[in-house]
Amino acid sequence: LSRTVYTDAKGINGQSISLADRDRYGAGIRGRLGYELSPALVPFLEVTAGLTNYDQTRDNTGYERSSQTYGAKVGAQVDLGEKLRGEAAIGYLRKGYDDDRLAAINALAMDGNIVWSPQRGTDVNLGLRTTIEDFAGGARGGWISRQLTTGLTHQLRSDLVARLTAGLERRSYLTSTIRDETEYTVGAGLTWNINRY
């Protein structure tokens, strides 16, 4: 369950601009059925369903943005002990809108996360995620976001962990004349544990 609320924006001339037409509730449910072929391999089938309900039936541009999302994917979990673990899946996502003028979005979904530990205290992870995002207004329904993330964590001391991250997001605007975009992110950080808890 989620609740999203937007505060007013401020225009160039300092005038307040209401964004209340973006306020919404969200709900989703996910079910997974897996079968343990061995302790190291568990194939699974996963289904998801969700809905987004906007407080205002129509937004400021006159469109009904409330929507329903459905998805299914098949994949497998792998656990080879401390050295390698994770999961990978492929499936299908669909988001349909209450407003018939907004085209439904269909996407091939590729999701997963792999964690490899070349030595004790060091982890390398690679993640894939596919989602369908909404436009804020106008005659466009949404876009498909495909994210690739990677990270490296290393335990420098018993109470200090260093982290490097990088990501790539590809946005496909299927219901719009906007050109597809690619966004890159990089990051670094330290986590210090005050004590073992």
Side-chain angles (χ1 to χ4, degrees), residues 17-63:
I17 301 170
S18 174
L19 300 178
D21 65 326
R22 298 186 190 184
D23 296 350
R24 61 188 179 270
Y25 289 95
I29 189 167
R30 179 179 67 178
R32 178 181 283 196
L33 177 65
Y35 183 77
E36 187 176 287
L37 294 177
S38 73
L41 182 63
V42 180
F44 63 82
L45 169 66
E46 184 176 297
V47 294
T48 58
L51 61 88
T52 303
N53 188 28
Y54 283 76
D55 293 359
Q56 297 181 16
T57 304
R58 295 183 184 275
D59 66 12
N60 293 340
T61 57
Y63 287 86

Side-chain angles (χ1 to χ4, degrees), residues 33-130:
L33 177 65
Y35 183 77
E36 187 176 287
L37 294 177
S38 73
L41 182 63
V42 180
F44 63 82
L45 169 66
E46 184 176 297
V47 294
T48 58
L51 61 88
T52 303
N53 188 28
Y54 283 76
D55 293 359
Q56 297 181 16
T57 304
R58 295 183 184 275
D59 66 12
N60 293 340
T61 57
Y63 287 86
E64 297 179 58
R65 299 233 163 250
S66 295
S67 61
Q68 302 79 40
T69 306
Y70 305 97
K73 60 185 178 181
V74 293
Q77 288 178 270
V78 176
D79 188 349
L80 301 178
E82 292 183 4
K83 287 293 183 187
L84 186 67
R85 64 189 183 283
E87 66 177 55
I90 188 167
Y92 170 80
L93 286 174
R94 177 179 175 82
K95 176 174 265 200
Y97 295 91
D98 287 358
D99 199 313
D100 294 336
R101 297 171 294 171
L102 298 175
I105 308 290
N106 301 292
L108 175 67
M110 291 179 286
D111 298 319
N113 186 51
I114 302 293
V115 179
W116 171 55
S117 181
Q119 64 183 38
R120 184 178 292 275
T122 301
D123 287 335
V124 179
N125 77 50
L126 181 69
L128 282 172
R129 186 167 181 237
T130 305

